[in-house]
Amino acid sequence: MDDDYSLLDVFWTMLWFFVWILWLFLLFKVIGDIFRDHELSGWGKAGWLIFCIFLPYLGVLVYVIARGKGMGKRDIKQRQDNEAAFQDYIRKTAGTAPSGGSGAHELARLAELKDKGALTEEEFQRAKAKLLA
């Protein structure tokens, strides 16, 4: 059995392995941000990609220093857009979309308008029959 590989060596190996994995995550995040940035021209995207591929550690570090603030803003905007799309999907699926809405929602709105006096009984009955048909 070889005793040249001590517990400290195992620790350092694990540490460098995890640092390498963290760097890979950062590299993929940077590449994703390069493609997500609509303000960056095609040549700019190609330049950053070449820089990050051929000088990976330096390229990623320079990108984070130069464009890190915008990277965070784009990430927040994408999350807000995703949340808005998700909420819109839920409204449409549940039938409570502000544009059309479900029959029950429309009927409740008609009853509210009738109670406020905006609709007469005849108008309410006609709209209700049209809605239920």
Side-chain angles (χ1 to χ4, degrees):
M1 187 168 170
D2 194 346
D3 291 328
D4 291 340
Y5 203 69
S6 68
L7 186 60
L8 185 60
D9 292 330
V10 171
F11 172 76
W12 281 112
T13 302
M14 288 175 50
L15 179 72
W16 283 114
F17 177 74
F18 286 120
V19 167
W20 180 70
I21 295 294
L22 286 172
W23 177 82
L24 279 177
F25 274 102
L26 184 59
L27 175 67
F28 290 127
K29 182 82 169 165
V30 164
I31 290 173
D33 186 66
I34 289 171
F35 286 110
R36 183 175 44 206
D37 187 5
H38 299 295
E39 296 175 7
L40 194 60
S41 70
W43 287 106
K45 290 178 183 185
W48 277 113
L49 279 175
I50 289 170
F51 192 36
C52 287
I53 290 172
F54 289 113
L55 296 171
Y57 295 105
L58 184 63
V60 168
L61 185 63
V62 170
Y63 186 88
V64 169
I65 291 170
R67 300 180 48 88
K69 190 178 235 182
M71 191 173 168
K73 289 178 182 177
R74 283 184 293 278
D75 196 34
I76 289 171
K77 184 179 179 330
Q78 183 183 15
R79 288 184 184 170
Q80 289 171 342
D81 290 346
N82 288 348
E83 179 67 22
F86 179 69
Q87 292 298 329
D88 188 45
Y89 170 75
I90 288 175
R91 278 189 216 95
K92 286 179 184 175
T93 304
T96 58
S99 58
S102 67
H105 180 68
E106 289 295 317
L107 196 56
R109 190 175 65 80
L110 285 172
E112 184 180 321
L113 288 172
K114 182 185 148 225
D115 291 342
K116 288 182 181 178
L119 291 176
T120 65
E121 180 66 33
E122 181 183 308
E123 291 171 329
F124 173 73
Q125 291 300 331
R126 200 172 351 153
K128 181 176 143 185
K130 182 179 176 184
L131 188 65
L132 294 176

